[in-house]
Amino acid sequence: MKTVSTILAAALVAGTALAAPSVMAQDYPTQPITIVVPFSAGGPTDTVTRLVAAAMSEDLGQQVVVQNVGGAGGTLGAGQVAAATNDGYTLLLHHIGMSTAPALYASLPYDPITDFEPIGLVTEVPMTIVARKDFEPETLEDLIAHVKENGENVTYANAGIGAASQLCGLLFMDALDTRMTEVPYQGTGPAMTDLLGGQIDMMCDQTTNTTSQIQAGEIKAYAVTTPERIDVLPDVPTMAEGGIEDFELAIWHGLYAPAGTDPAIVERLTQSLQVALANETVATSFADLGTAPVTAEEATPDALAQRLEEQIALWGEVIAAAGVAAQ
Ligand code: MLT
């Protein structure tokens, strides 16, 4: 016969066992956190992540380290986080590629919706059409004529199938109805090195990677993919000014944890992301790079989940219409 003390003891154990996740969450974080960037160091995604990681580290009182896992247009790194332990110590900072990969890969090692817990949106970054500084075309109109005339003799760098740089290039070639020769890298950090060295003709990349090089005159800029010109690059026309209508592209970024991460830990990470995005250094650095933190309302799980779902549907249609078969 169970005595009262036995029943109470059982309830206590059960209670403690039930409470264990919240006890873990209450003390979270008790060790360094890793944010995986699914591209090489030195590129736009890496730049955004390191700024956010430093500010989150300050808020959380724990080291937040960035691990670069490049390859397969960001899907290798995303797959690694999908399979990681869901203890809140391995996160993913990825961009629009989370929504294009399902249409570009016949078999992904993860489901962008069911294998992740969204933490929040981070920023939306404009793109720029850029080239090596001695490339002959001077204006976007000249570039369009040059690409149409030279086609596959023009080389353009991207960060692999599923990367923002590859998506932008795809849309650009679709607009010109002309194929160029794609040269894939593990990130547009290393691609920029070859562009600066003149080994590559052109690239479509985010302002977080191109702004300082354009301002320094080290690469040529033909257009930005925003509706209006941007403050940090006042002399760079929009795509519409250059003759390509309806070519607007902003690369949204989100922070994710593996599916099944304790909701209290997700909540703490969302709160820390919002603190980081309100950090003056982050806001100033983002502004200098042609972008801005999202609002606190957008730095939430629901906002990221909604964006991801909408964008998977949108890019699925656009990519199919462009006649791009999944790999
Ligand atoms: C891309 O999608 O092109 C990536 O942003 C490149 C990078 O971050 O290195």
Side-chain angles (χ1 to χ4, degrees):
M1 191 265 264
K2 285 192 174 180
T3 63
V4 171
S5 55
T6 310
I7 292 167
L8 278 178
L12 185 64
V13 168
T16 306
L18 286 175
S22 60
V23 166
M24 184 174 72
Q26 276 166 2
D27 298 340
Y28 176 86
T30 57
Q31 66 189 58
I33 296 164
T34 297
I35 301 182
V36 170
V37 166
F39 297 101
S40 309
T45 314
D46 186 63
T47 298
V48 163
T49 305
R50 289 181 189 277
L51 287 165
V52 169
M56 287 182 70
S57 175
E58 202 178 303
D59 171 64
L60 292 164
Q62 273 295 343
Q63 263 197 310
V64 180
V65 298
V66 173
Q67 181 190 7
N68 299 92
V69 180
T75 57
L76 216 58
Q80 179 172 309
V81 176
T85 306
N86 55 7
D87 58 5
Y89 292 103
T90 305
L91 308 178
L92 170 72
L93 200 149
H94 195 5
H95 57 36
I96 198 169
M98 280 291 263
S99 65
T100 58
L104 294 167
Y105 287 87
S107 62
L108 271 179
Y110 59 88
D111 180 307
I113 293 180
T114 59
D115 287 335
F116 295 91
E117 297 298 345
I119 294 168
L121 284 162
V122 176
T123 184
E124 304 202 36
V125 184
M127 297 203 91
T128 49
I129 306 276
V130 294
R132 54 185 168 80
K133 67 178 177 183
D134 57 355
F135 201 38
E136 304 79 350
E138 286 303 322
T139 64
L140 183 59
E141 292 89 339
D142 299 342
L143 177 68
I144 292 167
H146 182 91
V147 170
K148 284 186 172 184
E149 188 180 335
N150 295 278
E152 294 188 341
N153 292 326
V154 179
T155 54
Y156 100 88
N158 64 43
I161 294 173
S165 46
Q166 186 253 351
L167 175 69
C168 186
L170 199 66
L171 297 173
F172 185 66
M173 290 190 288
D174 193 46
L176 273 56
D177 193 20
T178 308
R179 299 297 307 165
M180 297 183 282
T181 295
E182 298 185 57
V183 181
Y185 292 76
Q186 298 231 328
T188 50
M192 178 61 81
T193 303
D194 280 0
L195 193 70
L196 291 166
Q199 281 81 25
I200 285 282
D201 289 331
M202 60 174 287
M203 174 160 75
C204 180
D205 197 15
Q206 298 168 69
T207 57
T208 36
N209 197 33
T210 61
T211 297
S212 56
Q213 301 295 359
I214 295 167
Q215 291 171 336
E218 294 302 326
I219 57 176
K220 256 183 191 170
Y222 296 98
V224 288
T225 62
T226 40
E228 306 296 332
R229 295 192 183 199
I230 60 176
D231 298 347
V232 290
L233 297 170
D235 302 330
V236 181
T238 64
M239 291 291 274
E241 287 177 87
I244 299 184
E245 296 293 341
D246 304 324
F247 196 115
E248 291 172 19
L249 189 57
I251 308 304
W252 54 273
H253 293 61
L255 185 64
Y256 305 84
T261 300
D262 186 308
I265 290 179
V266 171
E267 189 178 341
R268 180 67 186 94
L269 286 167
T270 299
Q271 180 196 43
S272 188
L273 174 61
Q274 291 172 352
V275 169
L277 295 177
N279 176 292
E280 195 177 328
T281 304
V282 170
T284 307
S285 303
F286 275 22
D288 291 346
L289 295 170
T291 191
V294 299
T295 63
E297 292 72 33
E298 292 170 309
T300 58
D302 288 350
L304 177 53
Q306 184 181 343
R307 177 66 63 90
L308 182 58
E309 193 175 334
E310 288 168 356
Q311 290 274 296
I312 288 173
L314 168 70
W315 293 110
E317 287 173 23
V318 170
I319 289 166
V324 177
Q327 301 288 317

